[in-house]
Amino acid sequence: MADSILDVSDLDRWMGKPIESSPLREPLGNNDIRRWVQAMHYPNLAHYDPQFAAESRWGKLVAPQSFPIVMDDGHGTSPSCAGKIPNSHLLFGGDEWWFYGPRVFGGDTIANERIPFDYVVKDTKFAGPTCFERGDNFYRNQHGELIAKQRSTAIRYNAHAGGAATDASQADEPEWSDEDYQKVEDRKFEWIQMLHDLGHKERWWDDVTVGDKLPERVIGIHTVASFATEWRSFLFTVWGTLDRRELNLEDLGFTKEMAGHENDPIMERINPELTDGAYIGASRGHLFPRWARTIGMPRAYGYGASMGAWIVDYFAGWAGEWGFVRHSNCNYRGPALSGDITVMNANVIDKFVDEEGRHMIQVDFKMTNQKGGTQATAVAEIELPKKPD
């Protein structure tokens, strides 16, 4: 009976109140941007190639719109997991982004204001009583300009129930022949070719029609190595990058075996390996199948924050240098497991001029694995330039 109870009594006292963040100790570098797009499999020359960037509208390397999430610990989930839920685990359930215009460049210093927003408890097939908690991140640059707002969703559930939900039949990775592998690479390159073909040119709003399909984007085949590369591209995973707040994951209700010393600023000065979630702590389930199974995953799995970045990058890459993702609302439905691929597709479902006179298109998005299983869904609004009269 105890396993069917989820104690969320501590959460109310956190709602609507700013919580401490962990700011960067040094300004961003261009290589921080390059490391991110490399890990996110996003070969947009504007973000890593100096010659292409010098000829762009910015005249220098610019960070992708997905970049704000890199700069604070917790992948943006920190305000959505405030408060203790005893004996619990957590998964990233989705995020909603609003982008306001300022872009991020090397040399910038970014701060994040984090405010828990709300929560609700629902009964799920995955883990029984489950808490869906939301929290807001407000990312600002050194000039105080609001770059983006991220409303993240954390899925918090009973530790025992999550482990019992593991599907053992999915423990083995799918096998890919050499021919299969090459087909995946060919599909991946079609989207990359689209980026090259667009280059510095405009994608005109006038030329987009409701019902148009965006080109397919493929990522994978996912491996423990690719997940580890994703992890290390988040700046908070690099030892000494942040002025960390003191945080004990057990205080949030994580089981002792999963919490460890992850993100512990005191232990980071003694033995930083013990604070690194790639090896020890709640995050290691992404990279170690044994620990993945304790939270309900059959094998190593990717990061929800990365999935959100893949989606924003997909929209931004298609929109091009002169387009801008204004809003994206993503729901994560299933993990990107090791051995799988991720396939993205979207359709234009609306085209309009908003109340601020911006020329917008709206897209409906779906992310699946190679079997058609849903990994994420999203709806987004993208601003495009209009042809001059």
Side-chain angles (χ1 to χ4, degrees):
M1 182 66 180
D3 290 333
S4 65
I5 297 173
L6 198 69
D7 181 3
V8 298
S9 59
D10 185 52
L11 270 57
D12 285 328
R13 68 187 181 97
W14 295 88
M15 296 300 118
K17 301 174 183 177
I19 61 174
E20 188 177 355
S21 65
S22 301
L24 290 168
R25 285 174 166 153
E26 294 93 20
L28 297 165
N30 281 336
N31 279 346
D32 296 325
I33 298 171
R34 292 186 175 104
R35 183 187 299 114
W36 176 247
V37 296
Q38 179 178 349
M40 293 301 109
H41 318 277
Y42 184 34
N44 187 326
L45 292 168
H47 310 310
Y48 70 92
D49 183 81
Q51 180 178 344
F52 184 92
E55 298 167 355
S56 73
R57 61 182 299 189
W58 303 285
K60 59 182 178 180
L61 290 178
V62 60
Q65 287 193 242
S66 63
F67 193 75
I69 201 171
V70 177
M71 294 172 283
D72 197 4
D73 59 1
H75 309 271
T77 59
S78 294
S80 63
C81 61
K84 183 173 183 175
I85 300 179
N87 196 40
S88 63
H89 287 323
L90 177 150
L91 292 171
F92 201 167
D95 49 23
E96 186 171 7
W97 286 95
W98 294 264
F99 295 98
Y100 298 103
R103 300 300 295 259
V104 177
F105 302 93
D108 284 351
T109 302
I110 309 300
N112 180 19
E113 182 183 25
R114 310 193 289 199
I115 305 176
F117 184 69
D118 65 6
Y119 70 93
V120 64
V121 178
K122 300 179 181 179
D123 196 61
T124 66
K125 294 180 180 179
F126 173 71
T130 302
C131 178
F132 295 84
E133 185 177 354
R134 297 191 296 177
D136 290 340
N137 299 272
F138 298 87
Y139 300 98
R140 293 180 172 88
N141 63 20
Q142 67 271 24
H143 306 298
E145 298 170 322
L146 183 60
I147 299 165
K149 172 184 172 182
Q150 175 199 16
R151 178 164 291 166
S152 59
T153 299
I155 302 172
R156 306 180 68 181
Y157 55 95
N158 225 300
H160 174 78
T166 303
D167 184 355
S169 68
Q170 300 296 315
D172 294 329
E173 295 184 359
E175 295 185 5
W176 298 82
S177 67
D178 291 343
E179 182 180 2
D180 291 336
Y181 180 84
Q182 188 56 53
K183 289 180 179 178
V184 170
E185 291 300 306
D186 292 342
R187 290 172 70 184
K188 288 163 63 174
F189 191 74
E190 288 183 13
W191 194 77
I192 295 170
Q193 187 66 58
M194 180 274 298
L195 293 178
H196 293 318
D197 291 343
L198 186 58
H200 298 298
K201 299 190 295 290
E202 297 90 344
R203 184 177 299 283
W204 298 111
W205 179 82
D206 314 63
D207 296 335
V208 178
T209 303
V210 173
D212 285 353
K213 294 183 181 298
L214 274 62
E216 176 188 80
R217 182 187 183 193
V218 176
I219 294 178
I221 301 168
H222 303 299
T223 66
V224 170
S226 67
F227 295 154
T229 302
E230 291 174 29
W231 169 259
R232 197 57 73 207
S233 68
F234 289 92
L235 296 185
F236 74 86
T237 72
V238 181
W239 300 348
T241 302
L242 303 183
D243 188 8
R244 291 194 190 278
R245 64 191 177 116
E246 292 190 30
L247 174 65
N248 183 344
L249 293 182
E250 286 186 71
D251 292 339
L252 298 178
F254 284 80
T255 61
K256 185 173 182 179
E257 64 176 352
M258 291 299 288
H261 290 282
E262 186 170 344
N263 293 336
D264 181 345
I266 297 174
M267 181 57 72
E268 188 175 48
R269 294 177 64 113
I270 300 169
N271 182 0
E273 185 174 342
L274 297 183
T275 73
D276 193 330
Y279 309 119
I280 297 172
S283 299
R284 60 184 158 177
H286 289 282
L287 304 179
F288 295 91
R290 170 195 170 192
W291 295 105
R293 288 190 287 272
T294 67
I295 63 170
M297 295 295 169
R299 56 186 190 268
Y301 63 104
Y303 298 89
S306 299
M307 293 173 68
W310 297 342
I311 294 169
V312 171
D313 291 342
Y314 173 72
F315 298 144
W318 174 80
E321 185 174 311
W322 299 91
F324 191 71
V325 181
R326 287 289 176 182
H327 175 252
S328 175
N329 192 1
C330 315
N331 293 296
Y332 308 148
R333 302 295 180 85
L337 298 171
S338 62
D340 287 351
I341 64 171
T342 290
V343 182
M344 305 181 207
N345 285 284
N347 301 300
V348 178
I349 59 174
D350 198 5
K351 178 179 177 180
F352 59 95
V353 179
D354 71 8
E355 57 188 20
E356 297 184 37
R358 300 177 302 198
H359 291 78
M360 309 291 293
I361 61 107
Q362 186 179 58
V363 297
D364 185 43
F365 168 93
K366 189 172 185 180
M367 174 190 288
T368 63
N369 62 19
Q370 69 278 9
K371 296 180 179 179
T374 302
Q375 295 178 339
T377 59
V379 174
E381 288 76 46
I382 304 166
E383 181 180 0
L384 293 177
K386 179 174 173 30
K387 288 180 178 178
D389 295 331

